[in-house]
Amino acid sequence: MKRALILCLSLQSLSLLPAVGAAQAQTVVDGSDKNASPFVKSTLHMLSKRFAEDQPKFRKISTHTSGDKQIVCGEISLHGSKVPEAENFLPFGATQGEENPLVFEAHTIPAALDFREVNTWINHGADLEDLEEMGCVPEGSYRQYSDRLNAVLQHRKTN
């Protein structure tokens, strides 16, 4: 009995069996998911599950390859409206064979940071750096973020 249960769970994790109660619709507001590959569909499904309570909306979905791996990029909105405004969309990306898609949740860097929060802000920027390396955000995006963060940290040192 245990072996059968383990086999079912293993097959489900490989997406060979349908998941019970896992029907999660992906709303793509601009139709950019036309002719989406199974990898793209899987990525959108994972993000929809991860942010299920926010009923995410997607747009600007595109794919490209890096070596022998497919990369999907796009934008996700966690805003509750049917068609969110442009400023409500966050960049996301996923590399085929990687565990989880990355979403850069943009937060305005405050004018001053508590020393205990510095690592959190640095780690937060790592997602943006990874998205830049994947080709999902414009080159220099991480540098701009890093420069703003460093300016706040320098200001702290002078006070």
Side-chain angles (χ1 to χ4, degrees):
M1 183 67 177
K2 286 182 183 178
R3 288 183 191 156
L5 179 61
I6 291 170
L7 178 62
C8 286
L9 291 173
S10 297
L11 291 175
Q12 184 174 349
S13 70
L14 294 172
S15 298
L16 298 175
L17 290 177
V20 178
Q24 183 69 35
Q26 294 89 32
T27 303
V28 180
V29 296
D30 65 355
S32 60
D33 64 333
K34 300 260 190 261
N35 303 318
S37 70
F39 168 62
V40 171
K41 290 177 184 177
S42 171
T43 300
L44 297 180
H45 179 75
M46 281 190 279
L47 288 168
S48 292
K49 251 176 94 173
R50 186 159 114 196
F51 299 108
E53 67 252 3
D54 296 313
Q55 300 175 340
K57 312 286 187 300
F58 300 95
R59 71 176 192 173
K60 296 185 179 180
I61 298 167
S62 64
T63 59
H64 61 275
T65 57
S66 178
D68 60 346
K69 294 185 177 189
Q70 186 178 25
I71 295 174
V72 62
C73 301
E75 294 180 355
I76 182 174
S77 174
L78 305 176
H79 195 264
S81 63
K82 274 189 172 183
V83 182
E85 298 294 322
E87 63 269 5
N88 293 320
F89 281 89
L90 311 169
F92 77 85
T95 302
Q96 195 170 18
E98 297 290 321
E99 191 71 22
N100 290 314
L102 295 173
V103 176
F104 179 69
E105 297 183 52
H107 301 287
T108 303
I109 298 171
L113 284 175
D114 184 322
F115 182 72
R116 295 169 290 194
E117 297 176 349
V118 171
N119 281 340
T120 302
W121 285 94
I122 292 170
N123 292 337
H124 180 69
D127 288 343
L128 184 60
E129 182 178 28
D130 290 342
L131 287 171
E132 185 175 327
E133 288 175 5
M134 293 165 61
C136 294
V137 296
E139 197 169 315
S141 297
Y142 174 71
R143 180 68 177 188
Q144 288 176 336
Y145 174 86
S146 179
D147 288 348
R148 284 193 312 265
L149 183 58
N150 284 332
V152 170
L153 296 177
Q154 291 297 326
H155 177 71
R156 178 170 174 70
K157 288 180 184 176
T158 59
N159 286 342

